[in-house]
Amino acid sequence: SKKIVIKIGSSTITSEDGTIDKEFIKNLAPQIKSLMDSGKRVILVSSGARIAGVSTIGKWSRKEDINYKQALCAIGQVELMDSYRKIFGEYGLHIAQVLLTKEDFESTSRTLNIRNTLFTLLDEGVVPIINENDTVCVEEIKIGDNDLMAARTSELWGGDLLIILSDIVGIYDKSPTENKDAKLIEIVNDPYDLEKNISIGKNSSFGTGGIATKIKAAKIVTPYGTSLIVARGKQKNIILDLSEGKEKGTLFL
Ligand code: ADP
């Protein structure tokens, strides 16, 4: 059966007021259920902990030092999982929190443990939700972006498809927010070639890695024969519509 990793970006999981977008999760849960009912296995990688932390403890939002950032992630991670747990529960789905670091992917015994835990969760029909374990990571040793966390997860698990949900329809030849005539690139055969031929603008206000890390993720997974799709997360029913060809995105083959 098909193994799918779905990465949910900060801009997708957050509302405009900086709180967790429950409507998005309400739309996501039945789609995941439907994928699982049709025999597919799904792992989620979700951003949003830090923003959820800021909206919970508003008064800390302006502190920029690393320990405050880590504290905000620790607070927000609970809020994030609470939202997933409640809403996925309404669809009869159990979730599991998996917090990982870069070092976890570099150790043979750890990757074996991660793999065994993921396989067990999936065998039991539970949806693993992965995020970076910010508490134990300083900037220098972080994977740094969940686009790459999702790519590493797909690599470790032997995923068939990686779906990166962002706030744009896909990758354009130039930044669509800064250029009205930007053209969507629907199919990419070579991420290295793509990188040379497009211009990359600024990230969204909540985003971290921007388009560059999405292309980097494609460089990691495509050599394994894993496809990657970048698509607009807030578009209702996006995952199922993509699979039926009803919605567009950027597909890396
Ligand atoms: P996420 O939080 O979902 O990972 P990011 O903010 O990191 O999203 O990256 C997506 C943003 O990158 C888009 O909102 C868009 O404004 C910007 N962007 C810059 N250059 C491009 C481009 N060539 N094609 C598409 N988006 C681009």
Side-chain angles (χ1 to χ4, degrees), residues 94-132:
H94 290 291
I95 62 153
Q97 169 179 271
V98 179
L99 297 176
L100 302 174
T101 67
K102 190 175 171 206
E103 283 178 322
D104 296 331
F105 290 90
E106 288 159 1
S107 142
T108 324
S109 68
R110 288 187 189 196
T111 51
L112 191 63
N113 285 326
I114 297 165
R115 212 177 277 128
N116 289 339
T117 306
L118 291 176
F119 277 122
T120 307
L121 289 168
L122 294 162
D123 278 347
E124 295 301 326
V126 176
V127 183
I129 305 181
I130 298 176
N131 200 1
E132 184 139 44

Short mmCIF file of all heavy atoms in Angstrom, two decimals, residues 94-132:
data_model
loop_
_atom_site.label_atom_id
_atom_site.label_comp_id
_atom_site.label_asym_id
_atom_site.label_seq_id
_atom_site.Cartn_x
_atom_site.Cartn_y
_atom_site.Cartn_z
N HIS A 94 -6.91 8.05 16.30
CA HIS A 94 -5.97 8.36 17.37
C HIS A 94 -4.73 8.97 16.75
O HIS A 94 -4.32 8.60 15.64
CB HIS A 94 -5.57 7.08 18.12
CG HIS A 94 -6.68 6.52 18.94
ND1 HIS A 94 -7.16 7.15 20.07
CD2 HIS A 94 -7.41 5.40 18.79
CE1 HIS A 94 -8.14 6.43 20.58
NE2 HIS A 94 -8.32 5.36 19.82
N ILE A 95 -4.12 9.90 17.49
CA ILE A 95 -2.87 10.50 17.02
C ILE A 95 -1.74 10.17 17.99
O ILE A 95 -1.99 9.79 19.14
CB ILE A 95 -2.97 12.04 16.87
CG1 ILE A 95 -3.28 12.70 18.23
CG2 ILE A 95 -4.01 12.42 15.82
CD1 ILE A 95 -2.78 14.12 18.32
N ALA A 96 -0.49 10.30 17.52
CA ALA A 96 0.67 10.09 18.39
C ALA A 96 1.68 11.20 18.12
O ALA A 96 1.90 11.57 16.96
CB ALA A 96 1.30 8.73 18.11
N GLN A 97 2.24 11.74 19.17
CA GLN A 97 3.25 12.79 19.02
C GLN A 97 4.65 12.18 18.93
O GLN A 97 5.03 11.39 19.79
CB GLN A 97 3.19 13.74 20.20
CG GLN A 97 4.36 14.70 20.26
CD GLN A 97 4.26 15.65 21.44
OE1 GLN A 97 3.68 16.71 21.34
NE2 GLN A 97 4.82 15.25 22.56
N VAL A 98 5.38 12.56 17.89
CA VAL A 98 6.77 12.10 17.73
C VAL A 98 7.66 13.32 17.54
O VAL A 98 7.54 14.04 16.55
CB VAL A 98 6.91 11.14 16.52
CG1 VAL A 98 8.35 10.68 16.35
CG2 VAL A 98 5.98 9.94 16.65
N LEU A 99 8.52 13.58 18.53
CA LEU A 99 9.41 14.74 18.45
C LEU A 99 10.83 14.27 18.14
O LEU A 99 11.39 13.44 18.85
CB LEU A 99 9.40 15.52 19.78
CG LEU A 99 8.05 16.13 20.17
CD1 LEU A 99 8.15 16.80 21.54
CD2 LEU A 99 7.57 17.13 19.13
N LEU A 100 11.41 14.78 17.06
CA LEU A 100 12.70 14.30 16.60
C LEU A 100 13.71 15.43 16.43
O LEU A 100 13.33 16.60 16.34
CB LEU A 100 12.54 13.58 15.26
CG LEU A 100 11.59 12.38 15.21
CD1 LEU A 100 11.45 11.88 13.79
CD2 LEU A 100 12.08 11.27 16.13
N THR A 101 14.97 15.06 16.39
CA THR A 101 16.04 16.03 16.14
C THR A 101 16.90 15.51 14.99
O THR A 101 16.78 14.35 14.59
CB THR A 101 16.96 16.20 17.36
OG1 THR A 101 17.68 14.98 17.54
CG2 THR A 101 16.18 16.51 18.62
N LYS A 102 17.77 16.36 14.51
CA LYS A 102 18.68 15.99 13.43
C LYS A 102 19.54 14.78 13.82
O LYS A 102 19.74 13.87 13.03
CB LYS A 102 19.57 17.19 13.13
CG LYS A 102 20.39 17.06 11.87
CD LYS A 102 21.13 18.37 11.64
CE LYS A 102 22.14 18.23 10.53
NZ LYS A 102 23.22 19.20 10.68
N GLU A 103 20.03 14.80 15.06
CA GLU A 103 20.89 13.71 15.54
C GLU A 103 20.18 12.36 15.49
O GLU A 103 20.83 11.33 15.29
CB GLU A 103 21.35 13.98 16.98
CG GLU A 103 22.46 15.00 17.06
CD GLU A 103 22.85 15.29 18.50
OE1 GLU A 103 21.95 15.35 19.37
OE2 GLU A 103 24.05 15.46 18.74
N ASP A 104 18.86 12.37 15.69
CA ASP A 104 18.10 11.11 15.66
C ASP A 104 18.23 10.42 14.29
O ASP A 104 18.18 9.21 14.21
CB ASP A 104 16.63 11.37 15.98
CG ASP A 104 16.43 11.90 17.39
OD1 ASP A 104 17.25 11.57 18.26
OD2 ASP A 104 15.45 12.63 17.61
N PHE A 105 18.37 11.23 13.24
CA PHE A 105 18.47 10.66 11.89
C PHE A 105 19.89 10.21 11.57
O PHE A 105 20.14 9.56 10.57
CB PHE A 105 18.00 11.68 10.85
CG PHE A 105 16.52 11.94 10.91
CD1 PHE A 105 15.99 12.94 11.71
CD2 PHE A 105 15.64 11.16 10.16
CE1 PHE A 105 14.63 13.17 11.76
CE2 PHE A 105 14.28 11.38 10.20
CZ PHE A 105 13.76 12.39 11.01
N GLU A 106 20.84 10.61 12.42
CA GLU A 106 22.25 10.29 12.15
C GLU A 106 22.73 9.07 12.91
O GLU A 106 23.85 8.61 12.74
CB GLU A 106 23.12 11.51 12.48
CG GLU A 106 22.94 12.63 11.46
CD GLU A 106 23.34 14.01 11.99
OE1 GLU A 106 23.78 14.11 13.15
OE2 GLU A 106 23.20 14.98 11.22
N SER A 107 21.88 8.52 13.79
CA SER A 107 22.27 7.37 14.59
C SER A 107 21.50 6.13 14.13
O SER A 107 20.29 6.17 13.97
CB SER A 107 21.98 7.66 16.07
OG SER A 107 21.50 6.52 16.73
N THR A 108 22.26 5.05 13.89
CA THR A 108 21.63 3.82 13.39
C THR A 108 20.62 3.26 14.38
O THR A 108 19.54 2.83 13.99
CB THR A 108 22.71 2.73 13.13
OG1 THR A 108 23.87 3.38 12.63
CG2 THR A 108 22.22 1.72 12.12
N SER A 109 20.98 3.26 15.68
CA SER A 109 20.06 2.67 16.65
C SER A 109 18.81 3.54 16.79
O SER A 109 17.70 3.05 16.93
CB SER A 109 20.74 2.47 18.01
OG SER A 109 21.03 3.70 18.59
N ARG A 110 18.99 4.85 16.73
CA ARG A 110 17.82 5.73 16.84
C ARG A 110 16.90 5.61 15.63
O ARG A 110 15.68 5.56 15.77
CB ARG A 110 18.25 7.18 17.01
CG ARG A 110 18.84 7.45 18.37
CD ARG A 110 19.09 8.92 18.55
NE ARG A 110 19.85 9.17 19.77
CZ ARG A 110 19.94 10.36 20.35
NH1 ARG A 110 19.35 11.40 19.82
NH2 ARG A 110 20.65 10.51 21.44
N THR A 111 17.49 5.56 14.42
CA THR A 111 16.62 5.45 13.24
C THR A 111 15.85 4.13 13.26
O THR A 111 14.70 4.08 12.84
CB THR A 111 17.40 5.57 11.90
OG1 THR A 111 18.49 4.66 11.93
CG2 THR A 111 17.90 6.96 11.66
N LEU A 112 16.50 3.09 13.79
CA LEU A 112 15.81 1.80 13.90
C LEU A 112 14.63 1.92 14.87
O LEU A 112 13.53 1.43 14.59
CB LEU A 112 16.81 0.74 14.40
CG LEU A 112 16.34 -0.70 14.33
CD1 LEU A 112 16.08 -1.13 12.90
CD2 LEU A 112 17.38 -1.63 14.97
N ASN A 113 14.87 2.59 15.99
CA ASN A 113 13.79 2.79 16.97
C ASN A 113 12.65 3.62 16.40
O ASN A 113 11.48 3.33 16.61
CB ASN A 113 14.33 3.48 18.23
CG ASN A 113 15.13 2.53 19.10
OD1 ASN A 113 14.82 1.34 19.17
ND2 ASN A 113 16.17 3.03 19.73
N ILE A 114 13.02 4.69 15.69
CA ILE A 114 11.99 5.55 15.09
C ILE A 114 11.14 4.73 14.12
O ILE A 114 9.91 4.73 14.17
CB ILE A 114 12.62 6.75 14.32
CG1 ILE A 114 13.40 7.65 15.28
CG2 ILE A 114 11.54 7.55 13.61
CD1 ILE A 114 14.34 8.62 14.58
N ARG A 115 11.84 3.98 13.24
CA ARG A 115 11.16 3.17 12.24
C ARG A 115 10.21 2.17 12.90
O ARG A 115 9.05 2.05 12.52
CB ARG A 115 12.20 2.45 11.38
CG ARG A 115 11.76 2.23 9.96
CD ARG A 115 12.86 1.59 9.13
NE ARG A 115 13.82 2.53 8.62
CZ ARG A 115 15.14 2.44 8.75
NH1 ARG A 115 15.68 1.43 9.40
NH2 ARG A 115 15.93 3.34 8.22
N ASN A 116 10.70 1.47 13.93
CA ASN A 116 9.86 0.47 14.60
C ASN A 116 8.65 1.10 15.28
O ASN A 116 7.55 0.55 15.22
CB ASN A 116 10.69 -0.30 15.65
CG ASN A 116 11.67 -1.23 14.98
OD1 ASN A 116 11.51 -1.60 13.81
ND2 ASN A 116 12.72 -1.62 15.71
N THR A 117 8.85 2.26 15.88
CA THR A 117 7.71 2.94 16.52
C THR A 117 6.69 3.37 15.47
O THR A 117 5.49 3.16 15.64
CB THR A 117 8.19 4.18 17.33
OG1 THR A 117 9.20 3.77 18.23
CG2 THR A 117 7.04 4.82 18.08
N LEU A 118 7.19 3.97 14.38
CA LEU A 118 6.27 4.41 13.33
C LEU A 118 5.49 3.24 12.75
O LEU A 118 4.26 3.30 12.60
CB LEU A 118 7.04 5.13 12.21
CG LEU A 118 7.64 6.50 12.57
CD1 LEU A 118 8.47 7.05 11.41
CD2 LEU A 118 6.54 7.49 12.95
N PHE A 119 6.19 2.14 12.44
CA PHE A 119 5.51 0.96 11.89
C PHE A 119 4.44 0.43 12.85
O PHE A 119 3.35 0.06 12.42
CB PHE A 119 6.52 -0.15 11.56
CG PHE A 119 7.17 0.02 10.22
CD1 PHE A 119 8.55 0.13 10.09
CD2 PHE A 119 6.40 0.10 9.06
CE1 PHE A 119 9.16 0.30 8.84
CE2 PHE A 119 6.99 0.26 7.81
CZ PHE A 119 8.38 0.37 7.71
N THR A 120 4.76 0.42 14.16
CA THR A 120 3.80 -0.07 15.14
C THR A 120 2.57 0.83 15.19
O THR A 120 1.42 0.35 15.16
CB THR A 120 4.45 -0.16 16.54
OG1 THR A 120 5.65 -0.93 16.44
CG2 THR A 120 3.52 -0.81 17.56
N LEU A 121 2.81 2.14 15.25
CA LEU A 121 1.68 3.09 15.27
C LEU A 121 0.79 2.89 14.05
O LEU A 121 -0.43 2.80 14.15
CB LEU A 121 2.21 4.53 15.30
CG LEU A 121 2.86 4.99 16.61
CD1 LEU A 121 3.59 6.32 16.40
CD2 LEU A 121 1.82 5.13 17.72
N LEU A 122 1.44 2.78 12.88
CA LEU A 122 0.68 2.68 11.63
C LEU A 122 -0.07 1.34 11.55
O LEU A 122 -1.20 1.29 11.08
CB LEU A 122 1.61 2.87 10.43
CG LEU A 122 2.19 4.29 10.34
CD1 LEU A 122 3.41 4.32 9.46
CD2 LEU A 122 1.14 5.27 9.85
N ASP A 123 0.57 0.28 12.03
CA ASP A 123 -0.10 -1.03 12.07
C ASP A 123 -1.37 -0.95 12.90
O ASP A 123 -2.35 -1.65 12.62
CB ASP A 123 0.82 -2.09 12.70
CG ASP A 123 1.81 -2.63 11.69
OD1 ASP A 123 1.62 -2.37 10.48
OD2 ASP A 123 2.79 -3.28 12.11
N GLU A 124 -1.34 -0.12 13.95
CA GLU A 124 -2.51 0.00 14.83
C GLU A 124 -3.48 1.08 14.35
O GLU A 124 -4.44 1.42 15.06
CB GLU A 124 -2.04 0.32 16.27
CG GLU A 124 -1.23 -0.80 16.92
CD GLU A 124 -1.98 -2.12 17.03
OE1 GLU A 124 -3.21 -2.10 17.22
OE2 GLU A 124 -1.33 -3.19 16.88
N GLY A 125 -3.20 1.66 13.20
CA GLY A 125 -4.13 2.65 12.64
C GLY A 125 -4.05 4.02 13.30
O GLY A 125 -4.99 4.82 13.22
N VAL A 126 -2.93 4.29 13.97
CA VAL A 126 -2.75 5.58 14.63
C VAL A 126 -2.01 6.54 13.68
O VAL A 126 -1.16 6.10 12.90
CB VAL A 126 -1.94 5.40 15.94
CG1 VAL A 126 -1.65 6.73 16.62
CG2 VAL A 126 -2.68 4.46 16.89
N VAL A 127 -2.33 7.82 13.75
CA VAL A 127 -1.68 8.81 12.89
C VAL A 127 -0.51 9.46 13.63
O VAL A 127 -0.72 10.24 14.56
CB VAL A 127 -2.66 9.92 12.45
CG1 VAL A 127 -1.99 10.90 11.49
CG2 VAL A 127 -3.92 9.32 11.83
N PRO A 128 0.75 9.17 13.24
CA PRO A 128 1.89 9.83 13.88
C PRO A 128 1.98 11.28 13.40
O PRO A 128 1.83 11.55 12.22
CB PRO A 128 3.11 9.04 13.38
CG PRO A 128 2.56 7.84 12.69
CD PRO A 128 1.20 8.18 12.24
N ILE A 129 2.21 12.20 14.35
CA ILE A 129 2.41 13.60 13.98
C ILE A 129 3.79 14.02 14.49
O ILE A 129 4.05 14.06 15.68
CB ILE A 129 1.31 14.52 14.56
CG1 ILE A 129 -0.07 14.01 14.13
CG2 ILE A 129 1.54 15.96 14.11
CD1 ILE A 129 -1.25 14.86 14.62
N ILE A 130 4.68 14.29 13.53
CA ILE A 130 6.09 14.57 13.84
C ILE A 130 6.35 16.07 13.89
O ILE A 130 5.77 16.85 13.12
CB ILE A 130 7.00 13.91 12.77
CG1 ILE A 130 6.81 12.38 12.81
CG2 ILE A 130 8.47 14.30 12.96
CD1 ILE A 130 7.59 11.63 11.75
N ASN A 131 7.24 16.48 14.79
CA ASN A 131 7.73 17.85 14.79
C ASN A 131 9.16 17.83 15.33
O ASN A 131 9.59 16.84 15.91
CB ASN A 131 6.84 18.75 15.66
CG ASN A 131 7.00 20.24 15.34
OD1 ASN A 131 7.77 20.64 14.46
ND2 ASN A 131 6.26 21.06 16.06
N GLU A 132 9.89 18.92 15.11
CA GLU A 132 11.24 18.98 15.67
C GLU A 132 11.17 19.18 17.18
O GLU A 132 10.32 19.91 17.68
CB GLU A 132 12.03 20.13 15.02
CG GLU A 132 13.47 20.18 15.49
CD GLU A 132 14.46 20.48 14.36
OE1 GLU A 132 14.19 21.37 13.55
OE2 GLU A 132 15.52 19.84 14.31
#
